[in-house]
Amino acid sequence: MNNRVAGLISEWEGVAPEDLIEAINERDQAMKELTEINAKIASDRDQVKRELEWFEDRCLELMREKCKREIREGTA
């Protein structure tokens, strides 16, 4: 058994099983919340990327229209 595991066992020695179960449940809840937060961040990031791509495409489209208009009007 490595020192880390032995240390953890010593740390929890004498603790009531109910307290161990509660600590594990709290850890599991915290992990669930972190997972949900990470999923939300990933979703928001993907949405921002899609919006950026749309704005970039729209900007290029407007620039092309401007160039065409300037060529038509002879101001290019």
Side-chain angles (χ1 to χ4, degrees):
M1 184 181 319
N2 66 35
N3 290 336
R4 182 169 179 250
V5 173
L8 290 172
I9 291 171
S10 295
E11 182 181 329
W12 289 101
E13 190 173 345
V15 175
E18 300 83 26
D19 292 338
L20 291 173
I21 292 169
E22 183 179 341
I24 291 169
N25 288 339
E26 288 174 0
R27 184 211 57 203
D28 290 346
Q29 181 62 33
M31 292 299 293
K32 179 182 177 201
E33 290 171 6
L34 286 173
T35 300
E36 291 171 357
I37 290 168
N38 284 339
K40 175 72 171 125
I41 290 170
S43 173
D44 291 349
R45 180 199 62 220
D46 293 344
Q47 177 64 31
V48 168
K49 282 183 178 179
R50 285 190 296 275
E51 289 175 5
L52 176 63
E53 289 172 1
W54 183 88
F55 281 110
E56 287 174 339
D57 291 344
R58 182 65 178 138
C59 182
L60 290 173
E61 181 182 329
L62 291 172
M63 289 172 61
R64 282 191 297 269
E65 289 175 8
K66 179 182 175 190
C67 287
K68 288 177 184 178
R69 185 175 56 250
E70 288 176 350
I71 289 171
R72 268 194 325 269
E73 296 169 354
T75 59

